[in-house]
Every structure is written in C-alpha cells, then in structure tokens.
Amino acid sequence: MKKASILLILCMVCLLGQAQQVTLNDVARSVYRTEGIQGIKPMMDGEHYTRISPDGKKIVKYSFKTGKEVGTVFNVETARNHTLRSFDNYIMSPDESKILIQTETKPIYRRSFTAVYYIYNVRNNTLEPLSENGPQQVPLFSPDGNQIAFVRDNNLYLVKLLFGNSESQVTKDGKFNEVLNGIPDWVYEEEFGFNRAFDFSADSQMLAYIRFDESQVPMYSFPWYKGMKPALNQYEIYPGKYEYKYPMPGIDNSKVTVHTFDIKSRVTRKMDLPLDIDGYIPRIKFTDNPEALAIMTLNRHQNRFDLYLANPRSTLCKLIIRDEAEQYIKETAYANIQFYPNHIVMMSERDGFNHLYLYTAGGNLVKQITQGKYEVKDFLGWDEKNNVFYYESNEESPLRSAIYKIDNKGKKTKLSTREGTNNAIFSKNQKYYINTFSNITTPPVITLNDNTGKVLTTLVDNKALIKKVASLNMPSKELFTFTTTDGVELNGWMMKPINFDANKKYPVILHQYSGPGSQEVLDTWRIGARNDGGMFEAYMASQGFIMVCVDGRGTGGRGSDFEKCTYMSIGVKEARDQVETALYLSKLPYVDNQNIGIWGWSYGGYNTLMAMSEGTPVFKAGVAIAAPTDWRFYDSVYTERFMRTPKENMEGYNASSAIHRVDKLHGELLLIHGTADDNVHLRNASEYSEALVQADKQFDMHIYTNRNHGIRGGNTTKHLLTRVTNFFIEHLK
C-alpha cells in the first residue's frame, strides 16, 4: 500500500511536470511575450506624454508626475469625418494641434513602408486625408505646423495646410530603380538605419533632401511564386520576379547629392559639398539656425566622419567637425548626434570607448563629457539650464546598463537602481523619465521616475507573465565567464535541464550571432534565439539539452579594441571563439563532449559554418539559417565597413569565406533559407551548397517559399523551429 501510494505520487508529479513544460507551439506563437507600452511620445510641455491604447483605437494623454491618464487626444470612435476602426501609429505636429494618423501600413524593406495618413485636427475633432493621390512615405510636419512634406513614388511632395491642404510636387525625376528623392536606397536604409532623407528649416521656408541616383548600381532579382500566407495569385501559372538595386563590395553605390528647395520661390539648389565621388551621406538635419543645414558624410572606407554646415541658399558648405578612426566609425557618431541652439553633442570612440563630446555650434570642442573604460550606449538629453547631461552606459559591467546624469563639474549620479539592463525615455524638460528595466530572470518593469531617479509609479510590471512563467517547469539561466587558450575572457549564459543531474552527461547546443558590435550575452530578459526570455531554449532543455550562448571577439560592449580586432578578416576570430567555447564546455564533467551542436541566424548562421569548418572537429551538428557564405555576395556598406573592398583585401575575403572552407566542414549540417531574402540572398546558400556537393560533403537543406530574411508567415515559424529541433535531436541524442 505504501509503495503504491509513493508510486501514485511520483506519477502525479511527472504528469504535472509534463503539463507545465514549454511547448514548441507556444514558442512559435509567442505565448510568453512581454507587455510593453506602444507609441510613447513625450509632449512639448514636459509634463505629459502620449501613448497608443492597447486596442489601437486611442491616443491617450498621461501625466509624467503621476503616470495617470489625464485625457484622450484622439479616439477613432468619436472623431468625425472618417470610417477608421483603428490605426497603426501617429505623428504630432510641433504645437500638438494636429496629428497625422497612420493607417494601412505596408512594409517595403526593414524600415521603409507606405501608409495612408489622415490629418487630425485636435480643436475640431475632424479627420481628413493627407493626400487623395495614393499612399505616402515618411511624412513630416514643418516646424510651424502649417506644412507637411512626404514622399510618394520616389518624389517629394508638399501639402500646405493653410491653403486648403493644397498639394504640390517638389521633385519630378524620381523613378523606381533609378532615382530616389528624400528616402534612402536599399543599402542606406539597411546599413545606415534610417528611412527619411529630408528635413525642414527651422523657419519652415526651406526643404533639404538627399537625392540618390542608383541608375548605375547593378540590379539584383529573385523569383516570386504563388506561395501561401499570403498567396500571390498573379503567379499561379508562371513565377514573377522582384528586381531592385543592390550594391556589392567594390561595386558602384548610388551617387548622392544634397539639394534644397525654397518653398516660396520654388527654387531648387544643389549644395556645393566636397564629397568623394564614392562617399556617403548617412544623415542631413537642419539646425536651429535656418541658415545652417548639417550634412554628415563618410568616406567609402567609413573611417572618416565629416560634419558640414551648409547655407541652404548660397550652397556653401563649411567643415566644422572631423572624426577619424583606424578601422571604422560606428553608426552612433551620426545616428545619435544632437543639435542645440549654441552647441552640438555627439559620440566618438576616439579614446577607445564610446563617449559623449560637447562642441560649440561652430565645431570647437568644449569638452569630453564622459570618460572611462566603459561605453555610453545612448544619449538621453541635455538640460541646458542646469547644464546636466543624461545618458545610458555600461559602466559597471559590459553585460549591464544603467541611467546616469553628469553635471558641468563632472559629478556623476546613477539614477537607475536595479541591476540588469535599463533604458530610458526622458520628458522634453528632463524632469522625468520612463525607465524600462529587466534582467535575465525578470521580465520588463516599466516605471515612471523623476530626474533624481525616484520611482514615482510603476506603469508595467509584467506580473501576468511572471505568474505564467512561474507555472512552467522553467530551467534556470546562468551567466558565466571563461578564458580561452588565447587568454581572452569571454562572457556567456547557460540554461540547464530542469532536473539537471551533475553526475550525468548532457548534449550541448550553442546559439550565437557573433556579428560586429552585437551582444547576445546581456543581463536582460531579451535573451535567447527569439529574444523572449529563452523560451525556445527552455523547450530544448526539456528535451535534455544544455543550451549555451557566448559572445566572442568582435562583439560589443567592451570597447573598440575588443570589437574591432576582427577588422579585415571577420569571421576568423569569431569562429575560433565558438570552437574555444566548445572546448571549454567539453571539459565540464556534465557535458557529453561527443555531442555538441551550434546554430545561428544571419551572421550567426555564417559563423556556424565558419566554426564547423575551422579545422577543430568539435561540432557534431549545426544549423545555419539565412547565412552569408562569402562576403563578396553581401552589400557594400556593411561589408566594406569591416573588410574594405575585395580589390584592397582579397586575402581577407578568402580567409572570411565559408565557401573557401567547405573541405574542412565537420559534422552534420542543415542549411535553411528563404527564396525572397532581400538582405542575404538565396544565392549564398545556393553557392555554398554547390561547393559542398563538389567537395563530396553530405548535408540537409530546407528552402522556404517567398520568405524574406525573417522567414515568417502563417505556420512558417513553427515549421522552422520544429525542423531545427528534430535535426538536433536526431544527431545529438
């Protein structure tokens, strides 16, 4: 009887444990997604912010002081003159009397999209179309709020609100695959990280824009099939194709020029910019001075950043700041630059770490604001009146970030109190900020704080998710470090099976990205292959695997020497460090050193191939998804930033080519790719697989119809994750 009772209890425990396991279907459907706040926009008064309601029907106004709702700015159900049921996003006019309501959003590439916008008048509660002539891109209010510029079909348009929303065309030479006005081409959008390339002057009298002439850039095409989810019925009988301009290393890029348009006289001028014929213009922005247009340029090697101030009427350009690096300038130099009436704040790695620098409006260096062996991750604002700067940095650990302020005398105050990852959005007057905190075991907690760091209220605590995760048989996550045989200390995280027994030996799977400047090992909830708290890893752990992730050399958070040591031969040191990780793990008493696998997506897929063919046979199986296989096939801006051109560095390109290593490939391999990947073309998998065939290497391959770099849609995510899971179970267990 006693034995039967014990047996019954054990059975119940087992059944309970099974019922509470993470399922692959739940992972694919993002059942354990975190709660956040959509569309936060600080208001001009500094005391309030707005956000989109969870149902996507309202723009709600909140107090920064209390976090409480104080009003509704827009409501689709009460606004007049429309038939909308919801909306996607919104843009406030400078005086907040008008709002652009974004609907019918249709993605183009990673950051670009078309949408149908409506102008909402706050005072009379009415909506009217921005334009009746087709969807728009990247609309922008003028500083006086009386005009809106936007792009349609590669041309700039201007709508004057005081003249019955009259619409006029600013440029007329825009043409698909030839000329773009006011929006970047594919490679600029992807690698310089922006989607709008025009701006208004401070007095609202001028428009400045970048013109991209991509007519000489070679065309790339990929096929469209009918497919499903969505079905492209026009290709039911014969396939179609998509063609676009895609520059590869050493190939012609778009020719870029900066122009201004005088709205009153309708005169267009070309800025007399001393730009190299193959140089880049990653940003333009009018300063507070209407006679000073900031134009930011890079040489093709991307190791010289120049900031010019251009007179929009005379066209003269004056160089005011130059920043140079031995290897390359990071995107933060131009992406995070801020202009003030009399000053400029920008970032630079000139002392080996990313820090803030203060210049006069004329380009004279005032001082280095922050300094030390840590990285400033984000500049959050400057309270000019009190001369206090706010920023996010990883001062205490490369794995963590905190919010700080520093005054004119260099006195630094840490504002965030919880150890992990902290990000912030400040009010316009820098009196308050919304802080998002998480760590490896805590989902995001969003709090409202004053500028001393005091928590005023909690906006989101993710308690529902915490409760849901607590009901799971969830394995623990551990951070660790180890030192390679080369004497390099690397950071990692590990997830062990729930019923881990140190006396047993477990197969191990490494997941990594490894790309330049990236970080996968952070003290944040957003770890794991799907950035969801490691839910896929938890599922794999329930199948008896130890899951591991390690950031090797070339990754971010540890200064330029660590990050840029891979320059001119990316993939070589990164692959070696994943091999070193496997060698380290193989010595642990609970690791089955005969069954170690590796996988990754994009650069992580590439590094999977590089590590499996490094020459040290430590990986029994690997999965490479959407992987570049030879850098001569990838885009010019990204590749040349780290490798220069093939003509300058053919030895480096050969050393970094996974194709050139196929003869040394060891282990079972699964290649996965989408046919419509506009970023890493299917060509990469095709050429690599052919090289494997000719090297007499057996492998598996799976192609997803009409899927882009993210390989999602319909049941695709579940199918892919199942394919990856089954592959590792088959070959590592």
Side-chain angles (χ1 to χ4, degrees), residues 444-464:
V445 177
I446 304 175
T447 57
L448 200 156
N449 309 262
D450 66 19
N451 61 10
T452 69
K454 180 183 177 182
V455 176
L456 303 176
T457 189
T458 298
L459 304 176
V460 173
D461 56 19
N462 269 296
K463 281 186 177 178

Side-chain angles (χ1 to χ4, degrees), residues 399 478-484 488-495 508-515 518-522 527-528 537 546-556 558 562 573-585 588 597-599 603-604 607 611 619:
L399 308 187
E478 309 167 15
L479 295 168
F480 70 95
T481 62
F482 75 97
T483 302
T484 70
V488 181
E489 186 177 88
L490 301 180
N491 299 314
W493 59 259
M494 180 183 296
M495 187 181 289
V508 175
I509 301 173
L510 306 186
H511 178 267
Q512 42 71 54
Y513 180 74
S514 302
S518 66
Q519 279 188 273
E520 296 295 300
V521 182
L522 289 165
I527 66 162
E537 287 73 18
I546 293 176
M547 307 299 290
V548 174
C549 179
V550 167
D551 281 339
R553 285 170 290 180
T555 57
R558 299 175 61 175
F562 187 86
K573 289 185 174 68
E574 299 95 311
R576 179 62 199 172
D577 286 348
Q578 295 305 311
V579 169
E580 287 278 348
T581 300
L583 291 171
Y584 162 75
L585 293 169
L588 299 177
I598 184 171
W599 77 293
Y603 199 103
N607 204 41
F619 297 111

Side-chain angles (χ1 to χ4, degrees), residues 135-138 149-158 168-176 179-183 198 209 211:
Q136 307 92 45
Q137 287 182 252
V138 292
F150 66 85
V151 172
R152 177 191 295 119
D153 297 330
N154 296 330
N155 280 311
L156 264 169
Y157 290 79
L158 188 65
S168 62
Q169 190 168 345
V170 175
T171 66
K172 297 182 179 179
D173 60 344
K175 186 178 180 181
F176 182 63
V179 173
L180 304 90
N181 294 294
I183 52 172
F198 68 86
Y209 62 94
R211 180 182 184 270

Side-chain angles (χ1 to χ4, degrees), residues 297-539:
T297 74
L298 290 167
N299 62 337
R300 183 145 184 174
H301 284 165
Q302 299 175 62
N303 60 0
R304 187 187 73 239
F305 168 79
D306 287 335
L307 175 60
Y308 292 89
L309 290 184
N311 186 299
R313 288 184 171 85
S314 74
T315 76
L316 293 177
C317 298
K318 180 183 179 182
L319 175 65
I320 64 165
I321 296 175
R322 170 168 287 179
D323 196 14
E324 296 182 280
E326 183 178 349
Q327 298 91 0
Y328 53 88
I329 298 290
K330 289 185 68 171
E331 308 93 304
T332 51
Y334 44 84
N336 292 68
I337 193 166
Q338 294 293 325
F339 297 92
Y340 295 87
N342 299 305
H343 292 89
I344 301 167
V345 178
M346 65 174 287
M347 292 184 182
S348 172
E349 289 188 303
R350 65 190 64 171
D351 72 352
F353 292 85
N354 199 53
H355 282 295
L356 295 171
Y357 292 79
L358 180 67
Y359 290 83
T360 66
N364 295 316
L365 179 64
V366 178
K367 64 175 180 178
Q368 182 174 344
I369 301 167
T370 60
Q371 53 190 316
K373 293 185 176 183
Y374 62 90
E375 293 188 345
V376 172
K377 309 302 289 185
D378 195 12
F379 173 51
L380 302 172
W382 179 27
D383 178 353
E384 290 184 86
K385 182 180 178 180
N386 297 301
N387 209 355
V388 176
F389 300 86
Y390 297 89
Y391 61 95
E392 174 195 338
S393 81
N394 66 359
E395 181 171 345
E396 296 180 342
S397 166
L399 308 187
R400 301 179 178 95
S401 63
I403 310 303
Y404 295 87
K405 66 179 181 182
I406 187 169
D407 65 18
N408 190 46
K409 297 180 179 179
K411 182 184 177 182
K412 183 168 31 181
T413 305
K414 182 182 176 183
L415 302 182
S416 54
T417 58
R418 301 185 70 177
E419 189 176 88
T421 299
N422 292 271
N423 314 115
I425 300 172
F426 270 77
S427 62
K428 295 291 186 182
N429 56 11
Q430 274 78 50
K431 285 175 63 178
Y432 312 97
Y433 68 96
I434 295 171
N435 189 85
T436 301
F437 158 82
S438 78
N439 60 29
I440 200 167
T441 57
T442 309
V445 177
I446 304 175
T447 57
L448 200 156
N449 309 262
D450 66 19
N451 61 10
T452 69
K454 180 183 177 182
V455 176
L456 303 176
T457 189
T458 298
L459 304 176
V460 173
D461 56 19
N462 269 296
K463 281 186 177 178
L465 177 61
I466 292 170
K467 185 177 180 181
K468 189 183 291 187
V469 172
S471 70
L472 296 170
N473 217 354
M474 192 73 180
S476 63
K477 307 164 210 175
E478 309 167 15
L479 295 168
F480 70 95
T481 62
F482 75 97
T483 302
T484 70
T485 58
D486 296 326
V488 181
E489 186 177 88
L490 301 180
N491 299 314
W493 59 259
M494 180 183 296
M495 187 181 289
K496 299 172 182 173
I498 188 68
N499 295 314
F500 175 75
D501 183 350
N503 296 312
K504 291 176 59 178
K505 289 187 179 292
Y506 295 87
V508 175
I509 301 173
L510 306 186
H511 178 267
Q512 42 71 54
Y513 180 74
S514 302
S518 66
Q519 279 188 273
E520 296 295 300
V521 182
L522 289 165
D523 192 6
T524 178
W525 182 257
R526 289 180 58 82
I527 66 162
R530 295 179 53 79
N531 298 319
D532 59 359
M535 290 301 166
F536 177 70
E537 287 73 18
Y539 174 77

